[in-house]
Amino acid sequence: MTDIPPAENQDQPADFHCGYVALVGRPNVGKSTLMNRILGQKLSIVTAKPQTTRQRIAGIKTTRDGQVIYIDTPGIHLAAERALNRYMNRVAHAAFHEVDLILLLIEAGRWSKQDEHVARSLESVEAPVWLVVNKIDLVPEKSRLLQFLEQKVRTDRFSEVFLVAAKTGDGVDSLENRVKKFLPFSRPFYDEDQFTDRSERFLAAELIREQLMQRLHQELPYSLTVEVEEFKRTGGLIRIGAIVWVEREGQKQIVIGKGGDVLKFVGTRARQALEALFDEKVFVRLWVKVSRDWSDNERALRQFGFDEQN
Ligand SMILES: Nc1nc2c(ncn2[C@@H]2O[C@H](COP(=O)(O)OP(=O)(O)O)[C@@H](O)[C@H]2O)c(=O)[nH]1
Ligand SMILES: [Mg+2]
């Protein structure tokens, strides 16, 4: 590198990298798990169900020599029939154009039509695309993994290929370092103690939704959303009041559970997760309400925070 700026140039320190990196891929490949692993903090919610992440969220990692702003995106999926799903695809695609680098995640041993669709839609993007093969713990034999890459994935489309397991941390350090060194020299964009661009209200709604998605089955996880109505710090306690919106009257009782047991369980688990995140005592109160077919209603989506600006 010959064009390192002089040290007196305050805007471009020669020893500090900073930039934006998007995590993209089809649903369920482990984008949010990877971001949480890198941050060492449970920031973005994770479940075994696809389409858990609905909105973009930045996770900011600041170290001595750099600040990497990872953008976790909703998974790009083919059948986007409802307004919410179309919104999710738009959010994911928008992230392509706002970043210095794109990490395309796939699952070790699996290359599906949806992966191909995402890879294709990245072809016209200006930022370089690196391939991150996640979940290598699921394919322990190296030879099978290499065979998969050779036969199923056209790796020549990517300038770099990484093998990682976000769940165990395998390979994540070296990925992080390569990413950081790749980013331009720049002063940090965020304060060093800031770890996300999202509000505490947003994080609270997400952690509550995560517990609901884990506890409920079939279409219910996709039929609900959480709106935080109250978020107040009083007397050494954070008081959180949230509405769980469902799409139909019949879903309400399932979310409440027999004698309220589902809601109680979810409230307790969410409180524990929120106390771990905020490192403060938390009190959670949940209500369930019906907003008919909200996930296919543009106005309801805006009310619940699914806004293009977010
Ligand atoms: N075995 C294994 N599972 C993983 C790994 N990374 C993520 N997962 C699991 O894959 C599922 C989807 O993860 P998530 O991060 O929500 O995927 P996203 O939809 O791409 O954000 C969850 O059940 C994760 O625990 C990994 O490295 N190994
Ligand atoms: Mg996710």
Side-chain angles (χ1 to χ4, degrees), residues 27-33 46-48 53 134-135 137-138 165-167:
N28 232 27
V29 289
K31 299 177 291 297
S32 301
T33 306
V46 171
T47 79
T53 307
N134 186 32
K135 308 197 190 185
D137 55 305
L138 298 179
K167 207 171 187 167

Side-chain angles (χ1 to χ4, degrees), residues 31-33 44-45 52-53 72-73:
K31 299 177 291 297
S32 301
T33 306
S44 198
I45 67 170
T52 299
T53 307
D72 186 15
T73 62

Side-chain angles (χ1 to χ4, degrees), residues 34-54:
L34 180 63
M35 186 161 93
N36 292 341
R37 163 67 59 181
I38 288 170
L39 294 183
Q41 194 157 28
K42 167 64 171 307
L43 176 63
S44 198
I45 67 170
V46 171
T47 79
K49 300 179 174 80
Q51 300 177 29
T52 299
T53 307
R54 289 174 177 167

Side-chain angles (χ1 to χ4, degrees), residues 80-283:
E81 279 148 16
R82 300 182 74 76
L84 175 64
N85 299 96
R86 290 193 294 274
Y87 166 86
M88 286 159 66
N89 276 344
R90 279 201 303 279
V91 167
H93 281 103
F96 293 0
H97 304 285
E98 301 164 348
V99 296
D100 301 288
L101 176 64
I102 292 171
L103 300 182
L104 168 61
L105 269 78
I106 64 166
E107 214 176 292
R110 241 184 109 188
W111 179 269
S112 70
K113 232 190 242 166
Q114 302 214 68
D115 294 306
E116 182 60 35
H117 171 71
V118 182
R120 287 242 175 99
S121 56
L122 287 170
E123 277 169 3
S124 57
V125 169
E126 221 169 287
V129 181
W130 294 358
L131 181 72
V132 176
V133 183
N134 186 32
K135 308 197 190 185
I136 56 166
D137 55 305
L138 298 179
V139 188
E141 310 95 271
K142 213 98 213 151
S143 58
R144 258 188 63 207
L145 190 55
L146 294 177
Q147 198 180 15
F148 157 72
L149 287 174
E150 238 163 63
Q151 295 177 354
K152 294 276 174 1
V153 187
R154 280 180 37 219
T155 48
D156 57 298
R157 285 191 277 189
F158 309 102
S159 42
E160 305 248 2
V161 178
F162 294 85
L163 305 178
V164 306
K167 207 171 187 167
T168 64
D170 200 5
V172 174
D173 276 355
S174 60
L175 169 65
E176 262 193 88
N177 281 323
R178 290 298 291 272
V179 165
K180 182 165 60 189
K181 298 252 154 64
F182 173 83
L183 294 176
F185 289 118
S186 158
R187 290 154 70 80
F189 301 150
Y190 291 92
D191 286 347
E192 63 178 299
D193 56 357
Q194 193 171 345
F195 66 95
T196 184
D197 63 339
R198 287 292 187 170
S199 66
E200 291 181 319
R201 262 174 190 267
F202 177 85
L203 299 178
E206 287 289 275
L207 285 177
I208 294 165
R209 188 166 62 83
E210 178 180 48
Q211 294 307 324
L212 287 158
M213 283 193 74
Q214 283 179 354
R215 182 69 168 74
L216 298 162
H217 302 290
Q218 286 154 359
E219 92 278 22
L220 260 164
Y222 307 101
S223 299
L224 59 86
T225 195
V226 176
E227 185 183 26
V228 169
E229 276 212 321
E230 184 190 21
F231 190 106
K232 255 210 290 256
R233 281 192 166 80
T234 46
L237 182 84
I238 306 177
R239 237 170 233 291
I240 298 171
I243 301 172
V244 181
W245 291 100
V246 292
E247 301 204 279
R248 288 186 297 281
E249 203 56 48
Q251 295 172 331
K252 203 167 143 179
Q253 198 48 49
I254 307 174
V255 173
I256 293 169
K258 255 204 208 96
D261 66 339
V262 173
L263 217 51
K264 214 162 140 192
F265 176 86
V266 164
T268 304
R269 298 287 290 264
R271 175 177 56 75
Q272 291 164 347
L274 287 160
E275 287 181 341
L277 181 68
F278 296 135
D279 204 15
E280 284 174 76
K281 270 202 105 37
V282 172
F283 177 81

